[in-house]
Amino acid sequence: MEYPQRNLALDLVRTTEAAALSSARWLGRGEKESGDKAAVEAMRLSFGAIDINGTVIIGEGEKDNAPMLFNGENLGTGSGPRVDVAVDPVEGTNLLAYGRPNAISVVGVSPAGTMLDPGPSYYMEKLAVSAAARNAVDLNAPVDTNLAHIAKALGKDIADLVVFVLDKPRHADLIQAIREAGARIQLHSDGDVAGSLMAIDPNSEVDVMMGTGGTPEGVLSACAIRAIGGEMLCRLNPQKDKEKKALAEAGTDLSRIFSVKDLVKSDDVFFAGTGISGGSFLSGVRYTGNGATTHSLVMRGKTGTIRYIDSHHNWNKLMRFSAVKYD
């Protein structure tokens, strides 16, 4: 038996709240870079107060592209546990820029050396389901077979299922196959981290996420999926010649199927996400004139604890000392 230990996710949620509060000012203003920059700067400042020795494994580029949180950047005070960090200050920058739902700010942390570094891979095929269906899926199986097995595991008919798919030209055949199988579809322009989270949340109307999305987003999603007990099967799926060439030069096996345990090799994982633009999953930032409210999700893998947090931020007090100017 152990005494209660520190839940790092409760520290991490302050970073996603800060990023959401700063970037939500740019909702629908058509300035993708400005919204992302605001989130990055707020998140970086907030990480400076957390006692970790963190290294960014999943970031947004290289150092010369600052102010992005770049791969290899050190985060935290430098004291405390050594950890791998996955960040996306605005997951769904286009969603934020054009005022569309489900833009979120997300962070995942696991012990140092346990998070997959995707290297030159940008895209992977993914299949994400909740814990109830984690043993029912096979990435090599036809779409209709997977949907039949998922439906059986969930105690549903195929016609009851809702499948999250990114609305991209590359998914034309997948969408047709899902329709022919008889399942329903939610098409989203962006945001496959949100899609993965919806698929594993038993309270969501989404039952499964299918299709090709970002490899870094896959690793970030795996932090939450590992914590909650769902499954995500993945296979690298390069979309451009440059990516294919880089993976070939690295000797990468494109036939390998990754499970969530390959992407994050520890149950001692933490995840936090805060809604920015609102939507069916997490409510967005709501400004009240003298403050704001945020809606967040935090998870701790070791205990399986999931918390939804509604926070009320008071500008009259916060702005007396905050280095981040939210108002």
Side-chain angles (χ1 to χ4, degrees):
M1 304 297 292
E2 297 180 1
Y3 286 101
Q5 297 175 337
R6 175 188 178 195
N7 185 345
L8 184 56
L10 296 174
D11 293 324
L12 295 175
V13 74
R14 294 179 64 195
T15 73
T16 58
E17 286 178 347
L21 287 167
S22 295
S23 61
R25 291 292 188 189
W26 297 94
L27 178 69
R29 294 170 65 179
E31 299 185 36
K32 181 171 68 173
E33 292 79 10
S34 296
D36 202 26
K37 179 181 178 182
V40 167
E41 291 177 345
M43 183 172 278
R44 179 177 279 123
L45 278 171
S46 297
F47 259 109
I50 302 178
D51 285 330
I52 58 170
N53 183 357
T55 301
V56 176
I57 304 299
I58 303 297
E60 294 188 279
E62 303 303 326
K63 188 173 182 178
D64 57 356
N65 289 329
M68 301 302 180
L69 286 159
F70 58 88
N71 298 336
E73 180 174 353
N74 295 320
L75 294 177
T77 63
S79 61
R82 292 181 60 247
V83 295
D84 292 340
V85 182
V87 295
D88 200 342
V90 179
E91 203 267 329
T93 51
N94 284 323
L95 300 177
L96 173 62
Y98 298 109
R100 295 170 183 156
N102 295 322
I104 57 178
S105 178
V106 286
V107 170
V109 165
S110 65
T114 62
M115 194 177 290
L116 177 73
D117 185 341
S121 174
Y122 295 108
Y123 288 93
M124 59 168 36
E125 180 185 0
K126 308 172 192 176
L127 174 56
V129 292
S130 65
R134 63 186 173 192
N135 296 318
V137 289
D138 178 356
L139 200 58
N140 287 324
V143 170
D144 59 349
T145 300
N146 270 316
L147 292 177
H149 289 167
I150 293 167
K152 182 178 180 180
L154 297 179
K156 298 183 177 184
D157 295 327
I158 291 180
D160 298 331
L161 298 180
V162 175
V163 185
F164 179 106
V165 182
L166 291 177
D167 190 8
K168 306 292 183 182
R170 61 179 178 264
H171 289 149
D173 291 342
L174 172 63
I175 291 169
Q176 183 62 30
I178 295 170
R179 288 171 174 163
E180 289 176 356
R184 299 175 295 154
I185 302 174
Q186 274 193 14
L187 290 174
H188 294 255
S189 62
D190 298 277
D192 60 330
V193 172
S196 298
L197 294 174
M198 291 180 201
I200 64 172
D201 182 356
N203 297 317
S204 168
E205 66 270 27
V206 171
D207 298 291
V208 53
M209 189 271 285
M210 289 181 163
T212 294
T215 304
E217 288 82 355
V219 178
L220 212 166
S221 299
C223 295
I225 297 171
R226 182 91 197 230
I228 203 173
E231 181 59 279
M232 182 168 63
L233 301 178
C234 310
R235 178 168 44 213
L236 301 186
N237 188 14
Q239 297 297 297
K240 295 183 179 180
D241 290 340
K242 182 179 179 181
E243 183 183 1
K244 293 176 183 177
K245 181 180 178 181
L247 290 170
E249 291 175 349
T252 305
D253 179 7
L254 296 183
S255 66
R256 179 183 175 184
I257 295 176
F258 297 87
S259 72
V260 70
K261 291 184 177 181
D262 296 315
L263 301 179
V264 181
K265 299 178 181 178
S266 173
D267 280 327
D268 194 17
V269 62
F270 302 90
F271 178 88
T274 300
I276 302 174
S277 63
S280 57
F281 180 59
L282 289 172
S283 300
V285 174
R286 184 171 67 89
Y287 297 105
T288 61
N290 62 352
T293 61
T294 54
H295 186 212
S296 302
L297 167 69
V298 297
M299 302 179 181
R300 184 185 181 197
K302 184 175 179 179
T303 60
T305 302
I306 304 167
R307 291 179 171 90
Y308 287 93
I309 299 176
D310 290 307
S311 299
H312 299 259
H313 308 271
N314 185 320
W315 294 161
N316 292 332
K317 290 190 174 183
L318 186 58
M319 289 301 101
R320 295 175 189 172
F321 59 86
S322 176
V324 182
K325 301 302 181 185
Y326 299 116
D327 61 348

